[in-house]
Amino acid sequence: MFGDMEAPQAMAPLFDYLNAIAELSQEERDYLLAHAEVIEVAKGEYLLEAEKCSKDFYFVIQGAVRMYYPVEGEEKTAFFYLENSFISSYESFLKQTPARHGFQCLENCRLVAISRAVTFEILDRFPKFDLLTWSIQTEELIMYQNLVATFITLSPEQRYLHLLQEHPDWLQRINLHHLAGYLGVTPETLSRIRHRVALR
Amino acid sequence: MFGDMEAPQAMAPLFDYLNAIAELSQEERDYLLAHAEVIEVAKGEYLLEAEKCSKDFYFVIQGAVRMYYPVEGEEKTAFFYLENSFISSYESFLKQTPARHGFQCLENCRLVAISRAVTFEILDRFPKFDLLTWSIQTEELIMYQNLVATFITLSPEQRYLHLLQEHPDWLQRINLHHLAGYLGVTPETLSRIRHRVALR
DNA sequence: TTTTCTCCTTGACTATCGTCAAGAAAGTTT
DNA sequence: AAACTTTCTTGACGATAGTCAAGGAGAAAA
Protein backbone atom coordinates (compact mmCIF):
# COMPACT_ATOMS: atom_id res chain seq x y z
CA MET A 1 0.00 0.00 0.00
CA PHE A 2 2.92 2.34 0.66
CA GLY A 3 6.24 2.67 -1.07
CA ASP A 4 9.43 2.62 1.00
CA MET A 5 9.33 6.34 1.58
CA GLU A 6 5.65 6.75 2.37
CA ALA A 7 4.93 4.47 5.32
CA PRO A 8 7.23 6.25 7.78
CA GLN A 9 5.50 9.52 7.02
CA ALA A 10 2.09 7.95 7.41
CA MET A 11 2.94 6.65 10.86
CA ALA A 12 4.62 9.84 12.00
CA PRO A 13 1.69 10.94 14.22
CA LEU A 14 1.85 7.63 16.08
CA PHE A 15 5.60 7.98 16.59
CA ASP A 16 5.15 11.53 17.81
CA TYR A 17 2.53 10.41 20.27
CA LEU A 18 4.68 7.57 21.63
CA ASN A 19 7.88 9.61 21.69
CA ALA A 20 6.18 12.11 23.97
CA ILE A 21 5.81 9.33 26.55
CA ALA A 22 9.11 7.52 25.99
CA GLU A 23 11.58 8.05 23.16
CA LEU A 24 11.48 5.14 20.71
CA SER A 25 14.67 3.53 19.44
CA GLN A 26 15.29 3.06 15.72
CA GLU A 27 14.77 -0.66 16.21
CA GLU A 28 11.38 -0.11 17.80
CA ARG A 29 10.30 2.26 15.05
CA ASP A 30 11.43 -0.20 12.40
CA TYR A 31 9.55 -3.02 14.06
CA LEU A 32 6.35 -1.00 14.07
CA LEU A 33 6.88 0.05 10.47
CA ALA A 34 7.34 -3.58 9.46
CA HIS A 35 4.50 -5.09 11.50
CA ALA A 36 1.85 -2.43 11.97
CA GLU A 37 -0.36 -1.57 9.05
CA VAL A 38 -1.61 1.81 7.90
CA ILE A 39 -5.13 1.35 6.60
CA GLU A 40 -7.77 3.55 5.00
CA VAL A 41 -11.34 2.93 6.07
CA ALA A 42 -14.28 4.59 4.34
CA LYS A 43 -16.95 6.61 6.10
CA GLY A 44 -19.66 4.31 7.41
CA GLU A 45 -17.47 1.22 7.59
CA TYR A 46 -17.06 -0.67 10.86
CA LEU A 47 -13.74 -1.27 12.61
CA LEU A 48 -15.46 -3.66 14.95
CA GLU A 49 -19.05 -4.81 15.03
CA ALA A 50 -20.68 -5.34 18.39
CA GLU A 51 -20.90 -9.00 19.43
CA LYS A 52 -17.76 -9.87 17.48
CA CYS A 53 -14.26 -10.38 18.87
CA SER A 54 -11.82 -7.53 18.66
CA LYS A 55 -8.83 -8.51 16.56
CA ASP A 56 -6.90 -5.24 16.25
CA PHE A 57 -5.72 -2.26 18.19
CA TYR A 58 -6.03 1.08 16.33
CA PHE A 59 -4.52 4.53 16.36
CA VAL A 60 -6.37 7.32 14.56
CA ILE A 61 -4.13 9.29 12.21
CA GLN A 62 -6.95 11.06 10.42
CA GLY A 63 -10.71 10.93 10.80
CA ALA A 64 -13.40 10.33 13.38
CA VAL A 65 -14.71 7.08 14.83
CA ARG A 66 -17.69 6.53 17.09
CA MET A 67 -18.15 3.87 19.72
CA TYR A 68 -21.70 2.57 19.99
CA TYR A 69 -23.79 0.11 21.94
CA PRO A 70 -26.54 -1.87 20.24
CA VAL A 71 -29.86 -1.36 22.05
CA GLU A 72 -33.08 -2.86 20.76
CA GLY A 73 -32.08 -2.65 17.11
CA GLU A 74 -30.63 0.84 17.50
CA GLU A 75 -27.02 1.89 17.86
CA LYS A 76 -26.54 4.26 20.78
CA THR A 77 -23.39 6.31 20.50
CA ALA A 78 -21.22 6.40 23.62
CA PHE A 79 -17.97 8.06 22.60
CA PHE A 80 -15.85 9.49 19.80
CA TYR A 81 -12.24 8.95 18.87
CA LEU A 82 -10.57 11.59 16.71
CA GLU A 83 -6.98 12.20 15.62
CA ASN A 84 -4.24 10.92 17.95
CA SER A 85 -6.47 8.55 19.88
CA PHE A 86 -6.07 4.85 20.50
CA ILE A 87 -9.09 2.67 19.92
CA SER A 88 -9.52 -0.65 21.58
CA SER A 89 -12.27 -2.73 23.03
CA TYR A 90 -10.03 -3.73 25.92
CA GLU A 91 -12.30 -6.40 27.33
CA SER A 92 -12.86 -8.10 23.97
CA PHE A 93 -9.30 -7.59 22.71
CA LEU A 94 -7.66 -9.00 25.84
CA LYS A 95 -10.13 -11.71 26.81
CA GLN A 96 -11.36 -12.54 23.28
CA THR A 97 -14.95 -12.24 24.39
CA PRO A 98 -17.69 -10.84 22.13
CA ALA A 99 -17.55 -7.05 22.32
CA ARG A 100 -20.46 -5.25 23.95
CA HIS A 101 -19.86 -2.26 21.70
CA GLY A 102 -18.70 -1.55 18.19
CA PHE A 103 -16.68 1.08 16.35
CA GLN A 104 -17.79 2.82 13.16
CA CYS A 105 -15.97 5.41 11.04
CA LEU A 106 -17.89 8.69 10.76
CA GLU A 107 -15.45 10.04 8.18
CA ASN A 108 -12.98 8.50 5.77
CA CYS A 109 -10.25 7.45 8.17
CA ARG A 110 -6.57 6.69 8.10
CA LEU A 111 -5.57 4.39 10.95
CA VAL A 112 -2.66 2.38 12.19
CA ALA A 113 -3.86 -1.17 12.84
CA ILE A 114 -1.89 -3.51 15.08
CA SER A 115 -3.01 -7.10 15.33
CA ARG A 116 -3.23 -9.06 18.57
CA ALA A 117 -0.30 -11.22 17.58
CA VAL A 118 1.89 -8.22 16.82
CA THR A 119 0.74 -6.42 19.97
CA PHE A 120 1.82 -9.28 22.20
CA GLU A 121 5.01 -9.79 20.19
CA ILE A 122 5.93 -6.13 20.70
CA LEU A 123 5.18 -6.29 24.42
CA ASP A 124 7.31 -9.40 24.67
CA ARG A 125 10.20 -8.01 22.64
CA PHE A 126 10.37 -4.40 23.84
CA PRO A 127 9.90 -3.80 27.58
CA LYS A 128 9.43 -0.10 26.91
CA PHE A 129 6.00 -0.86 25.50
CA ASP A 130 4.83 -1.96 28.95
CA LEU A 131 5.19 1.65 29.99
CA LEU A 132 3.58 2.91 26.80
CA THR A 133 0.52 0.68 27.00
CA TRP A 134 0.21 1.42 30.70
CA SER A 135 0.34 5.14 30.04
CA ILE A 136 -2.19 4.95 27.21
CA GLN A 137 -4.53 2.86 29.28
CA THR A 138 -4.22 5.16 32.27
CA GLU A 139 -5.28 8.12 30.14
CA GLU A 140 -8.23 6.11 28.86
CA LEU A 141 -9.24 5.22 32.43
CA ILE A 142 -9.02 8.83 33.62
CA MET A 143 -11.08 9.90 30.64
CA TYR A 144 -13.80 7.37 31.46
CA GLN A 145 -13.81 8.37 35.13
CA ASN A 146 -14.36 11.96 34.11
CA LEU A 147 -17.07 10.89 31.69
CA VAL A 148 -18.93 9.05 34.45
CA ALA A 149 -18.58 12.19 36.56
CA THR A 150 -20.45 14.21 33.93
CA PHE A 151 -23.41 11.84 34.20
CA ILE A 152 -23.40 11.87 37.99
CA THR A 153 -22.87 15.58 38.51
CA LEU A 154 -24.41 17.33 35.51
CA SER A 155 -27.86 17.67 33.92
CA PRO A 156 -28.24 16.99 30.18
CA GLU A 157 -28.17 20.74 29.50
CA GLN A 158 -25.03 21.16 31.60
CA ARG A 159 -23.44 18.21 29.79
CA TYR A 160 -24.14 19.97 26.49
CA LEU A 161 -22.52 23.18 27.73
CA HIS A 162 -19.61 21.14 29.02
CA LEU A 163 -19.27 19.53 25.60
CA LEU A 164 -19.16 22.97 23.98
CA GLN A 165 -16.22 23.87 26.21
CA GLU A 166 -14.28 20.62 26.12
CA HIS A 167 -14.81 19.51 22.52
CA PRO A 168 -15.98 22.42 20.36
CA ASP A 169 -14.54 20.61 17.33
CA TRP A 170 -16.97 17.71 17.80
CA LEU A 171 -19.86 20.02 16.97
CA GLN A 172 -18.25 20.81 13.66
CA ARG A 173 -17.58 17.23 12.69
CA ILE A 174 -20.19 15.02 14.31
CA ASN A 175 -23.90 15.15 13.63
CA LEU A 176 -26.38 15.91 16.38
CA HIS A 177 -27.95 12.48 16.22
CA HIS A 178 -24.68 10.93 17.40
CA LEU A 179 -23.84 13.73 19.83
CA ALA A 180 -27.26 13.23 21.47
CA GLY A 181 -26.33 9.62 22.20
CA TYR A 182 -23.08 10.71 23.79
CA LEU A 183 -25.03 13.11 26.02
CA GLY A 184 -27.46 10.37 26.97
CA VAL A 185 -30.54 12.02 25.44
CA THR A 186 -32.64 11.70 22.29
CA PRO A 187 -31.91 13.87 19.24
CA GLU A 188 -35.17 15.77 19.80
CA THR A 189 -34.15 16.64 23.34
CA LEU A 190 -30.73 17.83 22.20
CA SER A 191 -32.41 20.02 19.63
CA ARG A 192 -34.55 21.58 22.37
CA ILE A 193 -31.59 22.01 24.68
CA ARG A 194 -29.81 23.91 21.91
CA HIS A 195 -32.92 26.04 21.43
CA ARG A 196 -33.07 26.84 25.17
CA VAL A 197 -29.37 27.64 25.36
CA ALA A 198 -29.51 29.89 22.28
CA LEU A 199 -32.16 32.07 23.94
CA ARG A 200 -29.73 33.19 26.68
CA MET B 1 -0.64 -2.30 65.24
CA PHE B 2 -0.18 -6.00 64.54
CA GLY B 3 1.99 -8.57 66.27
CA ASP B 4 4.30 -10.71 64.17
CA MET B 5 1.67 -13.34 63.64
CA GLU B 6 -1.26 -11.10 62.86
CA ALA B 7 -0.19 -8.96 59.91
CA PRO B 8 0.15 -11.83 57.43
CA GLN B 9 -3.36 -12.97 58.23
CA ALA B 10 -4.69 -9.47 57.87
CA MET B 11 -3.22 -9.12 54.39
CA ALA B 12 -4.27 -12.58 53.25
CA PRO B 13 -7.17 -11.31 51.08
CA LEU B 14 -4.76 -9.05 49.20
CA PHE B 15 -2.31 -11.91 48.64
CA ASP B 16 -5.15 -14.14 47.46
CA TYR B 17 -6.25 -11.49 45.02
CA LEU B 18 -2.76 -10.95 43.62
CA ASN B 19 -1.90 -14.65 43.53
CA ALA B 20 -4.89 -15.24 41.28
CA ILE B 21 -3.24 -12.98 38.70
CA ALA B 22 0.39 -14.01 39.21
CA GLU B 23 1.82 -16.12 41.99
CA LEU B 24 3.82 -13.99 44.44
CA SER B 25 7.25 -15.09 45.64
CA GLN B 26 8.06 -15.20 49.35
CA GLU B 27 10.29 -12.17 48.84
CA GLU B 28 7.45 -10.18 47.30
CA ARG B 29 5.05 -11.12 50.09
CA ASP B 30 7.62 -10.18 52.70
CA TYR B 31 8.23 -6.83 51.06
CA LEU B 32 4.51 -6.04 51.11
CA LEU B 33 4.21 -7.18 54.73
CA ALA B 34 7.08 -4.90 55.69
CA HIS B 35 6.09 -1.82 53.69
CA ALA B 36 2.33 -1.88 53.27
CA GLU B 37 0.18 -0.98 56.20
CA VAL B 38 -3.05 -2.51 57.39
CA ILE B 39 -5.25 0.27 58.73
CA GLU B 40 -8.64 0.54 60.38
CA VAL B 41 -10.75 3.49 59.36
CA ALA B 42 -13.99 4.37 61.12
CA LYS B 43 -17.33 4.81 59.40
CA GLY B 44 -17.67 8.36 58.14
CA GLU B 45 -13.93 9.02 57.90
CA TYR B 46 -12.37 10.10 54.61
CA LEU B 47 -9.62 8.19 52.82
CA LEU B 48 -9.20 11.13 50.48
CA GLU B 49 -10.95 14.45 50.43
CA ALA B 50 -11.78 15.99 47.08
CA GLU B 51 -9.38 18.78 46.01
CA LYS B 52 -6.50 17.18 47.92
CA CYS B 53 -3.67 15.11 46.49
CA SER B 54 -3.93 11.35 46.69
CA LYS B 55 -1.08 9.92 48.75
CA ASP B 56 -2.00 6.26 49.06
CA PHE B 57 -3.27 3.32 47.14
CA TYR B 58 -5.79 1.15 49.01
CA PHE B 59 -7.13 -2.38 48.99
CA VAL B 60 -10.39 -3.09 50.81
CA ILE B 61 -10.15 -6.06 53.17
CA GLN B 62 -13.38 -5.37 55.00
CA GLY B 63 -15.97 -2.63 54.67
CA ALA B 64 -17.52 -0.30 52.10
CA VAL B 65 -16.18 2.93 50.65
CA ARG B 66 -17.94 5.42 48.44
CA MET B 67 -16.44 7.66 45.78
CA TYR B 68 -18.06 11.07 45.54
CA TYR B 69 -17.85 14.30 43.59
CA PRO B 70 -18.42 17.63 45.32
CA VAL B 71 -21.15 19.60 43.54
CA GLU B 72 -22.38 22.92 44.88
CA GLY B 73 -21.79 22.07 48.51
CA GLU B 74 -23.19 18.57 48.12
CA GLU B 75 -21.35 15.29 47.72
CA LYS B 76 -22.70 13.26 44.83
CA THR B 77 -21.90 9.59 45.07
CA ALA B 78 -20.45 8.03 41.93
CA PHE B 79 -19.29 4.56 42.92
CA PHE B 80 -18.75 2.03 45.70
CA TYR B 81 -15.78 -0.12 46.59
CA LEU B 82 -16.42 -3.17 48.75
CA GLU B 83 -14.26 -6.14 49.79
CA ASN B 84 -11.43 -7.13 47.43
CA SER B 85 -11.38 -3.87 45.50
CA PHE B 86 -8.53 -1.51 44.85
CA ILE B 87 -9.15 2.16 45.46
CA SER B 88 -7.14 4.84 43.78
CA SER B 89 -7.66 8.26 42.37
CA TYR B 90 -5.40 7.42 39.44
CA GLU B 91 -5.17 10.91 38.05
CA SER B 92 -4.33 12.50 41.40
CA PHE B 93 -2.15 9.65 42.62
CA LEU B 94 -0.02 9.51 39.48
CA LYS B 95 0.13 13.17 38.52
CA GLN B 96 -0.14 14.62 42.03
CA THR B 97 -2.93 16.94 40.97
CA PRO B 98 -5.84 17.84 43.27
CA ALA B 99 -8.40 15.04 43.10
CA ARG B 100 -11.74 15.80 41.52
CA HIS B 101 -13.39 13.24 43.78
CA GLY B 102 -13.02 11.90 47.28
CA PHE B 103 -13.40 8.60 49.12
CA GLN B 104 -15.36 8.12 52.32
CA CYS B 105 -15.87 5.01 54.44
CA LEU B 106 -19.52 4.01 54.77
CA GLU B 107 -18.70 1.33 57.34
CA ASN B 108 -15.83 0.69 59.70
CA CYS B 109 -13.18 -0.47 57.26
CA ARG B 110 -10.01 -2.51 57.28
CA LEU B 111 -7.75 -1.57 54.40
CA VAL B 112 -4.26 -2.16 53.11
CA ALA B 113 -2.64 1.22 52.46
CA ILE B 114 0.36 1.51 50.17
CA SER B 115 2.08 4.87 49.92
CA ARG B 116 3.26 6.45 46.67
CA ALA B 117 6.90 5.91 47.61
CA VAL B 118 6.36 2.24 48.37
CA THR B 119 4.24 1.78 45.24
CA PHE B 120 7.00 3.07 42.99
CA GLU B 121 9.65 1.19 44.93
CA ILE B 122 7.73 -2.05 44.46
CA LEU B 123 7.27 -1.40 40.74
CA ASP B 124 10.97 -0.70 40.45
CA ARG B 125 12.08 -3.69 42.45
CA PHE B 126 9.66 -6.38 41.28
CA PRO B 127 8.86 -6.47 37.55
CA LYS B 128 5.94 -8.79 38.23
CA PHE B 129 4.04 -5.84 39.66
CA ASP B 130 3.93 -4.23 36.23
CA LEU B 131 1.65 -7.06 35.20
CA LEU B 132 -0.34 -6.84 38.41
CA THR B 133 -0.98 -3.09 38.25
CA TRP B 134 -1.75 -3.41 34.56
CA SER B 135 -4.26 -6.15 35.23
CA ILE B 136 -5.89 -4.25 38.10
CA GLN B 137 -6.13 -1.11 36.04
CA THR B 138 -7.54 -2.95 33.06
CA GLU B 139 -10.35 -4.36 35.21
CA GLU B 140 -11.04 -0.86 36.51
CA LEU B 141 -11.17 0.50 32.96
CA ILE B 142 -13.54 -2.23 31.78
CA MET B 143 -15.74 -1.57 34.80
CA TYR B 144 -15.92 2.15 34.01
CA GLN B 145 -16.65 1.47 30.34
CA ASN B 146 -19.55 -0.73 31.37
CA LEU B 147 -20.72 1.92 33.82
CA VAL B 148 -20.79 4.56 31.08
CA ALA B 149 -22.75 2.08 28.98
CA THR B 150 -25.49 1.92 31.64
CA PHE B 151 -25.94 5.69 31.40
CA ILE B 152 -26.00 5.68 27.61
CA THR B 153 -28.21 2.67 27.09
CA LEU B 154 -30.52 2.47 30.12
CA SER B 155 -33.20 4.63 31.76
CA PRO B 156 -32.96 5.37 35.50
CA GLU B 157 -35.52 2.66 36.21
CA GLN B 158 -33.60 0.16 34.07
CA ARG B 159 -30.38 1.14 35.86
CA TYR B 160 -32.07 0.36 39.18
CA LEU B 161 -33.17 -3.07 37.95
CA HIS B 162 -29.68 -3.64 36.61
CA LEU B 163 -28.27 -2.73 40.02
CA LEU B 164 -30.58 -5.29 41.66
CA GLN B 165 -29.14 -7.97 39.40
CA GLU B 166 -25.48 -7.00 39.47
CA HIS B 167 -25.04 -5.85 43.06
CA PRO B 168 -27.89 -7.11 45.25
CA ASP B 169 -25.56 -6.84 48.25
CA TRP B 170 -25.28 -3.07 47.78
CA LEU B 171 -28.95 -2.69 48.65
CA GLN B 172 -28.33 -4.39 51.96
CA ARG B 173 -25.33 -2.31 52.91
CA ILE B 174 -25.66 1.10 51.29
CA ASN B 175 -28.41 3.63 51.99
CA LEU B 176 -30.71 4.82 49.26
CA HIS B 177 -29.42 8.37 49.41
CA HIS B 178 -26.03 7.17 48.20
CA LEU B 179 -27.42 4.60 45.78
CA ALA B 180 -29.52 7.34 44.18
CA GLY B 181 -26.35 9.28 43.43
CA TYR B 182 -24.81 6.22 41.80
CA LEU B 183 -27.91 5.87 39.62
CA GLY B 184 -27.72 9.53 38.66
CA VAL B 185 -31.05 10.52 40.24
CA THR B 186 -32.28 12.20 43.43
CA PRO B 187 -33.25 10.13 46.48
CA GLU B 188 -36.91 11.05 45.96
CA THR B 189 -36.84 9.73 42.41
CA LEU B 190 -35.21 6.49 43.51
CA SER B 191 -37.93 6.10 46.12
CA ARG B 192 -40.58 6.49 43.41
CA ILE B 193 -38.80 4.11 41.07
CA ARG B 194 -38.82 1.50 43.83
CA HIS B 195 -42.52 2.15 44.34
CA ARG B 196 -43.23 1.70 40.62
CA VAL B 197 -41.15 -1.45 40.38
CA ALA B 198 -42.80 -2.96 43.48
CA LEU B 199 -46.23 -2.69 41.88
CA ARG B 200 -45.30 -5.16 39.12
C1' DT C 1 -33.69 22.47 -12.13
C1' DT C 2 -36.01 19.04 -9.93
C1' DT C 3 -35.87 15.13 -7.09
C1' DT C 4 -34.19 12.62 -3.37
C1' DC C 5 -32.03 11.82 0.84
C1' DT C 6 -30.12 13.07 5.17
C1' DC C 7 -30.20 15.90 8.99
C1' DC C 8 -32.38 18.87 12.05
C1' DT C 9 -36.33 21.13 14.10
C1' DT C 10 -41.02 21.70 15.83
C1' DG C 11 -45.57 20.42 17.74
C1' DA C 12 -48.55 17.77 20.74
C1' DC C 13 -48.94 14.69 24.33
C1' DT C 14 -47.55 11.75 28.13
C1' DA C 15 -44.25 10.13 31.41
C1' DT C 16 -40.70 11.03 34.40
C1' DC C 17 -37.63 13.97 37.06
C1' DG C 18 -36.18 17.76 40.29
C1' DT C 19 -37.45 20.60 44.01
C1' DC C 20 -39.46 22.05 48.23
C1' DA C 21 -41.94 20.69 52.06
C1' DA C 22 -43.91 17.62 55.23
C1' DG C 23 -44.36 13.45 57.41
C1' DA C 24 -43.48 8.19 58.53
C1' DA C 25 -40.40 4.64 59.82
C1' DA C 26 -36.44 2.88 61.78
C1' DG C 27 -32.58 3.11 64.54
C1' DT C 28 -29.84 5.72 68.54
C1' DT C 29 -29.18 7.93 72.48
C1' DT C 30 -30.46 9.57 76.92
C1' DA D 1 -39.81 4.57 77.57
C1' DA D 2 -39.11 9.08 75.62
C1' DA D 3 -36.53 12.11 72.85
C1' DC D 4 -33.76 12.46 69.12
C1' DT D 5 -31.53 11.54 64.72
C1' DT D 6 -31.23 9.46 60.42
C1' DT D 7 -33.38 7.40 56.61
C1' DC D 8 -37.02 6.82 53.60
C1' DT D 9 -41.50 8.01 51.67
C1' DT D 10 -45.20 10.93 49.94
C1' DG D 11 -47.56 15.04 48.05
C1' DA D 12 -47.79 18.97 45.01
C1' DC D 13 -46.06 21.51 41.27
C1' DG D 14 -43.26 23.11 37.57
C1' DA D 15 -39.55 21.80 34.39
C1' DT D 16 -37.69 18.60 31.40
C1' DA D 17 -37.42 14.26 28.73
C1' DG D 18 -39.36 10.60 25.69
C1' DT D 19 -42.33 9.38 21.85
C1' DC D 20 -44.70 9.76 17.57
C1' DA D 21 -45.56 12.45 13.76
C1' DA D 22 -44.87 16.07 10.57
C1' DG D 23 -42.34 19.45 8.28
C1' DG D 24 -38.29 22.32 6.77
C1' DA D 25 -33.35 23.14 5.28
C1' DG D 26 -29.52 21.76 2.90
C1' DA D 27 -26.66 18.66 0.31
C1' DA D 28 -26.23 15.25 -3.11
C1' DA D 29 -27.98 12.88 -7.01
C1' DA D 30 -30.71 12.58 -11.16
Side-chain angles (χ1 to χ4, degrees):
Chain A
M1 179 174 281
F2 288 98
D4 284 350
M5 292 292 104
E6 289 174 66
Q9 281 179 30
M11 278 196 210
L14 172 59
F15 292 151
D16 290 346
Y17 187 104
L18 296 177
N19 276 328
I21 302 167
E23 193 77 28
L24 297 185
S25 68
Q26 188 60 46
E27 189 191 357
E28 288 162 338
R29 274 196 297 276
D30 288 344
Y31 194 90
L32 274 175
L33 284 169
H35 296 88
E37 202 180 349
V38 175
I39 60 174
E40 312 265 346
V41 182
K43 175 178 177 174
E45 295 291 308
Y46 290 83
L47 295 182
L48 169 67
E49 287 182 72
E51 315 298 343
K52 298 200 174 173
C53 278
S54 171
K55 288 182 291 186
D56 298 295
F57 194 77
Y58 302 96
F59 179 81
V60 183
I61 294 175
Q62 179 60 238
V65 176
R66 78 181 175 109
M67 176 188 190
Y68 69 90
Y69 287 86
V71 183
E72 296 166 16
E74 267 196 288
E75 292 181 352
K76 295 232 183 184
T77 301
F79 202 73
F80 307 101
Y81 295 89
L82 275 62
E83 285 78 14
N84 295 310
S85 304
F86 286 95
I87 298 177
S88 172
S89 177
Y90 290 93
E91 186 169 21
S92 175
F93 184 79
L94 294 170
K95 302 181 182 177
Q96 286 294 282
T97 53
R100 304 187 193 213
H101 48 244
F103 296 107
Q104 183 190 30
C105 294
L106 297 179
E107 306 173 353
N108 293 326
C109 291
R110 171 172 294 163
L111 307 150
V112 181
I114 309 176
S115 70
R116 266 174 62 83
V118 170
T119 301
F120 293 130
E121 180 67 26
I122 288 175
L123 285 171
D124 196 50
R125 194 180 282 239
F126 306 108
K128 188 185 293 170
F129 278 79
D130 282 341
L131 170 65
L132 292 170
T133 54
W134 181 70
S135 173
I136 291 162
Q137 204 170 298
T138 299
E139 288 304 318
E140 184 92 350
L141 173 56
I142 291 169
M143 190 277 292
Y144 270 96
Q145 283 199 341
N146 291 335
L147 184 55
V148 168
T150 67
F151 283 102
I152 299 287
T153 66
L154 302 177
S155 67
E157 180 172 321
Q158 289 172 318
R159 284 201 294 278
Y160 173 70
L161 294 171
H162 187 256
L163 169 66
L164 283 182
Q165 290 221 330
E166 295 294 310
H167 303 288
D169 51 322
W170 290 12
L171 252 88
Q172 305 304 316
R173 293 173 60 179
I174 295 167
N175 74 43
L176 297 181
H177 178 82
H178 291 138
L179 284 176
Y182 170 75
L183 295 171
V185 298
T186 60
E188 294 95 328
T189 292
L190 175 55
S191 182
R192 291 186 179 108
I193 287 173
R194 284 159 58 82
H195 183 77
R196 282 205 301 271
V197 168
L199 295 181
R200 300 177 203 163
Chain B
M1 179 171 282
F2 288 96
D4 284 347
M5 292 293 103
E6 289 174 67
Q9 279 178 31
M11 277 196 210
L14 172 59
F15 292 152
D16 290 346
Y17 187 104
L18 296 177
N19 276 328
I21 303 169
E23 193 78 28
L24 297 185
S25 69
Q26 188 60 45
E27 188 190 358
E28 288 161 339
R29 274 195 298 274
D30 288 344
Y31 193 90
L32 275 175
L33 284 168
H35 296 87
E37 201 180 349
V38 175
I39 60 174
E40 312 265 346
V41 183
K43 174 176 177 175
E45 295 291 309
Y46 289 82
L47 294 181
L48 168 67
E49 287 182 72
E51 314 298 342
K52 299 200 173 174
C53 279
S54 171
K55 289 182 290 188
D56 299 294
F57 194 79
Y58 302 97
F59 179 81
V60 184
I61 294 175
Q62 179 61 239
V65 176
R66 78 182 176 109
M67 176 187 189
Y68 69 91
Y69 286 86
V71 183
E72 296 165 18
E74 267 195 288
E75 292 181 351
K76 294 233 183 186
T77 301
F79 202 72
F80 306 101
Y81 295 88
L82 276 62
E83 287 78 13
N84 296 307
S85 303
F86 286 95
I87 298 177
S88 171
S89 177
Y90 290 93
E91 186 168 21
S92 176
F93 183 79
L94 293 169
K95 303 180 180 174
Q96 285 293 284
T97 53
R100 305 187 192 210
H101 48 246
F103 294 106
Q104 184 191 28
C105 293
L106 297 179
E107 305 173 354
N108 293 324
C109 291
R110 171 173 293 162
L111 308 150
V112 181
I114 309 176
S115 70
R116 266 174 64 82
V118 170
T119 302
F120 293 130
E121 180 67 25
I122 287 176
L123 285 171
D124 197 49
R125 195 180 281 239
F126 305 109
K128 190 185 292 170
F129 279 78
D130 282 341
L131 170 65
L132 292 171
T133 54
W134 180 70
S135 173
I136 291 162
Q137 204 169 298
T138 300
E139 287 304 318
E140 184 91 352
L141 173 56
I142 291 169
M143 190 276 292
Y144 270 95
Q145 282 199 343
N146 291 335
L147 185 55
V148 168
T150 67
F151 284 103
I152 299 288
T153 66
L154 302 178
S155 67
E157 180 173 320
Q158 289 173 318
R159 284 201 294 279
Y160 172 71
L161 295 172
H162 187 256
L163 168 67
L164 283 182
Q165 290 222 328
E166 296 295 309
H167 304 287
D169 50 323
W170 290 13
L171 251 88
Q172 305 303 317
R173 294 173 60 179
I174 295 167
N175 73 43
L176 297 181
H177 177 83
H178 291 137
L179 285 177
Y182 170 76
L183 295 172
V185 298
T186 60
E188 295 94 328
T189 292
L190 175 54
S191 182
R192 290 186 179 108
I193 287 173
R194 283 159 57 82
H195 183 77
R196 282 205 302 270
V197 168
L199 295 181
R200 302 175 201 164

